[in-house]
Amino acid sequence: MTHFDSIGRDRRSRGSNPAPDSYYGHPIVKEPVWELGIPIYFFFGGLAGASAALALGARLTGNARLARNATFAGMVGVVASPPLLIRDLGKPARFAAMLRVIKVTSPMNVGTWLLNATGGGLSVAAGCELLGILPRLRDLATTGSGLFGLPFATYTAALVADTAIPAWHEARRELPFVFIGGAASAAGGAAAIITPPSDAGAARRFAIAGALVELAAGFVMEHRLGLLGEPYSQGRAGRLTRLSRVTAGAGAAVMALAGRRRIGATAAGSLLLAGALLERLAVFEAGRQSARDPRYVVDAQRRRVAAGTSRGASTFAGLPDERETLPAAS
Amino acid sequence: MMRRPLPVVERPDAWPASYGDEARPRLGFFTDTTLCIGCKACEVACKEWNDVPADGYVWTGNSYDNTGGLSANTWRHVAFIEQDRPLHVAPSKARLREAEMRDGAAGPDAAPLRDRPSGGAPRGDGYPPPDAPRGDGGEGMRWLMSSDVCKHCTDAACLDVCPTGALFRTEFGTVVVQQDVCNGCGYCVVACPFGVIGRREIAGSKGVGMAQKCTLCYDRTKDGLEPACAKACPTESIQFGKLDELRERASRRLEQVVARGFDGARLYGANPDDGVGGFGAFFLLLDEPEVYGLPPDPVATTRDLPSIYGWMALAAGTLGALVGLSFLGGRR
Ligand code: SF4
């Protein structure tokens, strides 16, 4: 007879403890200390990064008006980001502390550099646009920010995936796609609001494609995760998820059907922006919920133990049969 | 003075190689929970020595545990678990039979001793099944006590994700937060697989807004002193020393307690191949880790960084492709 039950628990130690899988239901991992500013930053960061990429695309295809407007939309994200981060840290000098090293093992550190690169490029490009000067420099800055904008819009997914929070860590495959989808729908939506429809075709397509990627990746994620997908569909996170999906879906539909009229584009763009923001809030809340309940931590790890893929934190010696041969304790 | 060659306990890539000649043997804790009496001297000594602020006067109702768990303001935490089962299983069948004869139980079908009120009549309902753990003297309750602490992981996720480099590995192989560098971002808090580290939020206290956790008394070990908790522990449940020596001692101790019939004994964190590369502070437990509020198979999240960055790169590429596709249709 094996000493381990079907999910890898040591049978010899089962007792009548009423809640044997947790310590008085206490969480095992810590809930994030981050407040609402952080998921809002995720949204603005995505808006900035994807807008920078959209601006580059517009510049390359000679759509000057869209390039200019996407740059300005990106600037909104760039301007909003540092205050949100500093609000969480406490004082501005603490933001600068992240710039004393380049540390690849810390997605937060990497992201700070990406924010600087994308934000710096966008600022230069926006300045040139406003003053109508230095088109070469403007194009160079647009190119830089457009390229850095791609990882910048994505890294926040890597940031949350690189934690011990079960609903985030186990979702490391799909989360980046959820985030770029949201970023694209926000950036496309914002540009479509402020750009005359005749110049905004690419922005509309970008927005619709983004919303579709966001929705699809979200569904795949929730279903692949099984029990760990629960937090995304339950409680406050579940309400936010459903609201974000309805909003983003409606935004994409309105954009497709009425996006060529200014009023339709404005309505659709607003819905898409709201959907992308709600989706970041939902992911954030799902992470908190999964941290609060030790079941999610234990379940994912117990499944590894059962599958024989655990890393063996517990080591045993002396099985009961061997005990028989040992001299009795006096 | 000639320095003896360092015992290379772990991977060579970072510590101790990064310290060169200044590296010291890796230090750690072996917390033998079979010896813990739940006096909380470690909690108090830690708070006193490290000037950790009080964090409330709470009555939890969870046995004698009114601390709750490790946090920015609790660097040693004593867990109390009350279980309706005996501490020991019989060390041998012969001894159990002897006890049963003495108590007048008849034959192999008699209910285990622990189910009889002070050695009286069997319950007679056939429960628990015969293969359930058997008591060795009618003792039907056990109290598990365990003093938890930062594990000083070999692969420390907190240290890996720290964006400023405030978390660092000392010459003793321990993990410490530099208070003058920490920017309070809170990333380490969610990276730790054990929920050890926290950000101090008590207004007006020392180090508020910064990450706080056990330093393995870096200030004391530097001067050759043992950490405050180990010093205060009256039963040597908390043992401090060189990690390789502690591991040897612990495996001998495990054999001993198993031979004495302690039920469910196992080492937790002594295996250098586990998900965090072995703990610098490891434990002898008497039940599953989750019973003590510990994760059963902790893995440093940064072990998955290649896949995390891989999926991120794929998604960033997809975003670029979306931009490209959007402009294919021309201006309309
Ligand atoms: S990851 Fe947690 S347990 Fe490991 S060294 Fe860091 S704070 Fe301690």
Side-chain angles (χ1 to χ4, degrees):
Chain A
M1 189 185 74
T2 161
H3 298 296
F4 299 94
D5 69 11
S6 59
I7 56 164
R9 284 192 187 93
D10 179 3
R11 275 173 193 282
R12 288 167 296 161
S13 64
R14 302 324 293 160
S16 47
N17 183 349
D21 294 343
S22 80
Y23 181 71
Y24 300 106
H26 282 321
I28 289 180
V29 296
K30 285 249 179 309
E31 232 181 278
V33 291
W34 299 325
E35 286 170 12
L36 222 51
I38 295 302
I40 297 176
Y41 160 70
F42 291 173
F43 163 76
F44 279 114
L47 173 66
S51 292
L54 183 64
L56 175 57
R59 184 61 67 197
L60 289 176
T61 54
N63 187 342
R65 196 180 253 168
L66 181 58
R68 175 191 160 99
N69 287 352
T71 302
F72 290 154
M75 274 313 285
V76 173
V78 168
V79 170
S81 295
L84 288 167
L85 294 178
I86 288 164
R87 194 172 153 267
D88 196 70
L89 297 175
K91 45 187 167 198
R94 291 192 175 168
F95 183 75
M98 287 196 272
L99 303 174
R100 58 190 283 284
V101 281
I102 294 182
K103 201 171 162 191
V104 185
T105 59
S106 173
M108 188 184 285
N109 179 281
V110 172
T112 308
W113 291 106
L114 290 172
L115 166 61
N116 289 342
T118 311
L122 275 173
S123 306
V124 171
C128 294
E129 289 279 10
L130 274 180
L131 302 173
I133 52 164
L134 302 171
R136 282 258 187 79
L137 177 64
R138 180 200 64 198
D139 290 354
L140 191 71
T142 303
T143 308
S145 61
L147 293 178
F148 281 115
L150 300 176
F152 177 55
T154 326
Y155 94 89
T156 44
L159 189 153
V160 296
D162 191 22
T163 64
I165 306 293
W168 291 346
H169 184 78
E170 302 302 326
R172 56 190 174 275
R173 292 189 206 170
E174 294 90 356
L175 271 183
F177 291 93
V178 176
F179 277 34
I180 60 140
S185 73
I193 293 176
I194 55 177
T195 309
S198 57
D199 282 326
R204 289 196 296 272
R205 287 188 286 277
F206 192 47
I208 295 167
L212 294 180
V213 168
E214 181 185 13
L215 291 173
F219 278 114
V220 171
M221 173 172 81
E222 221 182 288
H223 288 98
R224 186 182 65 87
L225 287 179
L227 176 74
L228 280 174
E230 251 180 38
Y232 288 96
S233 60
Q234 291 180 352
R236 221 166 92 89
R239 286 195 293 280
L240 286 164
T241 302
R242 285 187 292 276
L243 196 59
S244 84
R245 285 181 183 163
V246 169
T247 316
V254 175
M255 189 64 94
L257 297 174
R260 289 181 195 193
R261 298 220 313 273
R262 198 68 195 246
I263 176 135
T266 305
S270 312
L271 283 169
L272 289 169
L273 284 163
L277 175 61
L278 286 167
E279 174 265 314
R280 301 301 210 288
L281 295 175
V283 169
F284 185 71
E285 190 57 36
R288 288 171 55 164
Q289 284 174 203
S290 80
R292 226 172 276 149
D293 189 342
R295 202 163 47 102
Y296 296 120
V297 176
V298 171
D299 178 78
Q301 301 189 9
R302 273 288 153 209
R303 271 193 273 174
R304 290 202 292 269
V305 175
T309 55
S310 88
R311 306 300 301 257
S314 294
T315 43
F316 302 86
L319 300 170
D321 306 334
E322 294 159 20
R323 264 186 226 158
E324 294 287 337
T325 63
L326 291 164
S330 50
Chain B
M1 193 185 79
M2 277 285 291
R3 197 173 285 141
R4 268 178 296 143
L6 271 173
V8 178
V9 185
E10 305 300 349
R11 287 170 187 72
D13 41 326
W15 180 91
S18 57
Y19 275 96
D21 270 1
E22 285 168 40
R24 292 284 185 280
R26 186 169 173 188
L27 296 178
F29 286 128
F30 165 40
T31 306
D32 179 350
T33 68
T34 61
L35 297 176
C36 181
I37 54 169
C39 70
K40 302 187 195 174
C42 52
E43 282 191 18
V44 176
C46 174
K47 281 233 180 201
E48 294 239 326
W49 179 265
N50 294 299
D51 204 4
V52 175
D55 55 351
Y57 188 70
V58 194
W59 201 251
T60 64
N62 297 334
S63 190
Y64 280 89
D65 181 3
N66 291 309
T67 309
L70 295 175
S71 71
N73 311 308
T74 302
W75 299 355
R76 268 278 179 193
H77 162 244
V78 182
F80 291 76
I81 300 128
E82 297 178 28
Q83 289 181 331
D84 179 17
R85 51 193 276 208
L87 180 60
H88 300 84
V89 292
S92 76
K93 278 199 179 125
R95 194 154 168 261
L96 184 70
R97 262 195 305 274
E98 207 181 282
E100 277 176 350
M101 298 289 274
R102 199 175 49 239
D103 286 355
D109 292 331
L113 292 166
R114 69 175 173 126
D115 294 305
R116 285 178 240 148
S118 50
R123 262 166 52 172
D125 57 4
Y127 188 84
D131 66 339
R134 318 187 106 197
D136 60 356
E139 181 196 11
M141 187 260 174
R142 71 174 183 174
W143 219 328
L144 305 182
M145 285 158 280
S146 167
S147 179
D148 196 10
V149 69
C150 168
K151 318 305 179 279
H152 293 277
C153 309
T154 306
D155 297 336
C158 61
L159 191 157
D160 285 341
V161 303
C162 174
T164 64
L167 273 148
F168 79 114
R169 197 170 292 280
T170 71
E171 65 270 38
F172 302 109
T174 55
V175 179
V176 173
V177 191
Q178 299 171 81
Q179 292 297 308
D180 52 344
V181 184
C182 175
N183 74 343
C185 74
Y187 203 177
C188 53
V189 175
V190 278
C192 172
F194 304 94
V196 165
I197 193 164
R199 187 165 77 180
R200 186 167 291 164
E201 314 283 6
I202 301 175
S205 66
K206 197 184 77 172
V208 64
M210 286 172 216
Q212 306 286 344
K213 74 167 191 73
C214 161
T215 67
L216 213 125
C217 281
Y218 189 35
D219 50 350
R220 294 173 61 92
T221 49
K222 258 178 172 313
D223 284 343
L225 297 170
E226 68 179 319
C229 57
K231 180 97 184 164
C233 178
T235 63
E236 304 217 317
S237 172
I238 299 175
Q239 299 172 30
F240 163 77
K242 295 183 188 162
L243 187 59
D244 48 357
E245 288 172 12
L246 290 177
R247 280 186 183 154
E248 270 172 44
R249 194 190 302 172
S251 66
R252 282 201 304 275
R253 174 67 183 162
L254 179 64
E255 275 174 34
Q256 212 176 49
V257 300
V258 168
R260 292 209 184 151
F262 275 81
D263 189 15
R266 87 272 324 267
L267 294 181
Y268 176 66
N271 175 9
D273 295 326
D274 70 20
V276 299
F279 308 3
F282 64 100
F283 303 81
L284 195 167
L285 303 178
L286 291 179
D287 206 333
E288 300 296 343
E290 56 265 37
V291 170
Y292 296 85
L294 296 163
D297 183 34
V299 175
T301 177
T302 39
R303 288 251 173 120
D304 292 318
L305 209 48
S307 104
I308 291 170
Y309 277 143
W311 288 101
M312 173 187 151
L314 207 60
T318 306
L319 183 59
L322 287 185
V323 175
L325 288 174
S326 304
F327 284 97
L328 277 185
R331 277 201 176 199
R332 289 184 313 118

